[in-house]
Amino acid sequence: MRHMKIWTLAGGLALAGAAQAQYDAGLLRLAQAHKAALTEDLGVVVNMDSGTDDAAGLAKVEGMLAQRLRVLGADVEVRSSPPAAGRTIIGTLHGEGTKNILLMIHYDTVFGIGDAAKRPFKVVGNKAFGPGVADAKGGALLILHALDLLRERQFRAFKTLTVLFNPDEEKSSLGSRSIIQKLSADQDFVLVFEPPESERVTVGTNGIAYVHLDVQGRASHAGSAPEAGRNAAIELAHQLLQLNDLGSTAKGTTVNWTVVQAGGAVNIIPEKAGATADMRMSDPSEIARVQADADRLIQKKLIPETQVSVRVEDRRPPFGRNESSDSLAALAKSIYAEMGRPLTAAAMRYGTDAGFAYNPASPAKPVVLDGMGIVGDRIHSSDEWADLDSIVPRLYLTVRMIEAMSVRN
Ligand SMILES: [Zn+2]
């Protein structure tokens, strides 16, 4: 009986929601009218290399993106972001409302110089191919065309609508992270345009850290005086076995040793050895926990008179799953439902700049949502593709989200 009652209530709410949903035919028509131009723009920008270390390529893409923002009426500021090879673009539109909204994505790719010439933009059926076509040049073009749609609709009910394009996300955003953190603190909402691999928005991403393990031993001739040496490689092997379970299944933390270095010559007892582990976590306090556990474990040594040290380096904080982001995802779902399309919300294991936008001390300001980009798959591979059929629903989603967030309490 009890279950029956809940079912009836849920069914009633769902029906009421469906009846309230206003299908915006005018917006859908405008979005459809943008599909061809967005696809063409995507081809232009995909055919410009912009690997994270490619200063000349990044400058070219920067020039195009900044110019487009100016044409859309934004105040544009371009900031050098050392140690990044490229610069961070910030475009701001001023409206008449009360909410500050940030749309952001990176314009660097993982690809090298010459890759765009080798594999230029190409469309096969509903799929577009080329370096960075989904991650994340499709997201950058969605932002620009969504701003254009808002202009066509003469929508100005936001206080500020800010766009941030950064040049170094694929290498941990070392130069742009402080700009993202500072700008995000002033926002009510932050939408991140990383590509989902299906009709999804992202309500959480993992943080990333590196664990560095270093052993100092003593060198000696391996043939004539091995007993005078202290073998750093053997001590490292011992420590790796001890430190192989630093992860936590309960907390969703993984620690995997992936890079190991020791020795230089066959006839020398190695003086130094080192290893690095890839760590992923959704709880930022795991960094201190792993550091403390590792510090305790390394005390137990195999080779006397070696020195062992371990250091956890925080590379990218998590975007922790929270109620505010879940409720923003519910808004996105209701907007997709207007088009008769399903949308899922999920936390993902990879790390993105959403981690720098998100403030765990204040999850409701700004409210962060990721996965707003173009749908695509095979990211970071030579087969990377973007689903051109997702352009219209994603434009519709972005515009309706901005309009709804501008009046949301
Ligand atoms: Zn990306």
Side-chain angles (χ1 to χ4, degrees), residues 243-268:
L243 299 173
N244 198 31
D245 294 316
L246 286 170
S248 158
T249 314
K251 291 255 183 185
T253 304
T254 57
V255 178
N256 286 288
W257 295 99
T258 47
V259 178
V260 177
Q261 291 149 331
V266 179
N267 62 354
I268 301 174

Side-chain angles (χ1 to χ4, degrees), residues 22 27 74 82 89 112 114 154 165 174 191 193 263 275 284 332 349 402:
Q22 297 267 322
L27 174 58
I89 308 164
Q154 299 180 319
F165 293 129
L174 295 176
L191 301 181
F193 285 73
R349 291 173 71 173
I402 292 166

Side-chain angles (χ1 to χ4, degrees), residues 393-405:
R394 292 268 148 175
L395 279 176
Y396 184 98
L397 173 67
T398 304
V399 170
R400 288 275 294 107
M401 288 284 283
I402 292 166
E403 292 180 350
M405 291 184 306

Side-chain angles (χ1 to χ4, degrees), residues 17 51 63 76 94 98 113 151 185 198 222-223 265 269 287 300 303 320 332 347 366 370 376 386 404 407:
V76 178
H94 298 271
T98 58
I113 295 172
R151 192 184 51 78
S198 61
I269 300 290
I287 292 202
K300 197 174 156 228
I303 311 229
D370 196 353
V407 295

Side-chain angles (χ1 to χ4, degrees), residues 16-29:
Q20 273 163 13
Q22 297 267 322
Y23 170 75
D24 193 330
L27 174 58
L28 202 60
R29 260 197 315 277

Side-chain angles (χ1 to χ4, degrees), residues 105-106 108 134-136 169-170 193-195 352 379-380:
I105 194 58
H106 60 96
D108 62 321
D135 185 19
E169 191 271 349
E170 298 292 4
F193 285 73
E194 291 286 353
T352 73
I379 304 301
H380 294 191

